[in-house]
Amino acid sequence: LAIIQALLIAVGQEKYAIPIASVVETIRITNRDVYSVEGKGKVIKVRDEIVTLLNLEELLDVQTNGSMKKDRFYVAVLSVGDHHVALQADKMINEQEIVIKSLDSSFKKAEYLAGASILGDGSVCLILDTSALVMAANA
């Protein structure tokens, strides 16, 4: 078991944790801030840098009832080494310390998940593997 500081986000009804050490900043943007680039997918401009935007609803196959289709949404910009990626989320919940529990062997093939945690209210949140997300966006 390990304890980390994490940013909790929501995609639909699901909660996810992002290790705070990987979070550069969080911003709120509109659909007008999102551009499509051939061969790169969707991107946004963050402080004069073009960053790939990952839609967690699609990437993790989360059922959201169309909540990710809003005009305004939240983005968490992550950094691993010199590479950046932006994660689209419905809501930024808060920052808190969480206990990481490793996933059962049946979840080992979930390539974007690093573990899970039980929050203070008893709900379970999955911890995102920021390295895997950044590598996927920059592949």
Side-chain angles (χ1 to χ4, degrees):
L1 298 178
I3 298 174
I4 62 165
Q5 197 71 17
L7 172 66
L8 297 181
I9 63 170
V11 178
Q13 298 298 313
E14 303 294 325
K15 294 178 187 173
Y16 295 94
I18 304 168
I20 204 72
S22 299
V23 178
V24 175
E25 65 183 303
T26 59
I27 54 177
R28 192 160 185 199
I29 64 174
T30 67
N31 285 327
R32 292 183 305 268
D33 299 317
V34 179
Y35 303 95
S36 291
V37 175
E38 189 175 336
K40 196 79 165 145
K42 294 189 179 201
V43 298
I44 61 172
K45 189 173 182 180
V46 179
R47 305 198 188 285
D48 296 328
E49 181 181 350
I50 302 300
V51 178
T52 301
L53 178 65
L54 296 179
N55 183 327
L56 289 175
E57 174 186 6
E58 295 170 2
L59 194 67
L60 302 175
D61 195 28
V62 177
Q63 300 300 317
T64 63
N65 298 324
S67 61
M68 298 291 271
K69 308 296 186 256
K70 296 185 219 171
D71 182 51
R72 295 179 61 83
F73 51 89
Y74 294 94
V75 171
V77 180
L78 309 181
S79 174
V80 175
D82 292 338
H83 302 287
H84 294 84
V85 68
L87 299 181
Q88 182 178 345
D90 285 332
K91 183 178 175 185
M92 298 290 166
I93 300 171
N94 65 11
E95 182 182 326
Q96 68 182 44
E97 286 186 342
I98 61 171
V99 176
I100 300 174
K101 298 210 36 113
S102 60
L103 294 173
D104 186 88
S105 61
S106 60
F107 287 97
K108 292 295 182 194
K109 295 189 186 212
E111 61 185 309
Y112 302 117
L113 302 177
S117 184
I118 299 174
L119 303 177
D121 65 0
S123 63
V124 174
C125 80
L126 296 172
I127 302 165
L128 297 175
D129 184 343
T130 54
S131 295
L133 290 167
V134 171
M135 286 175 29
N138 292 293

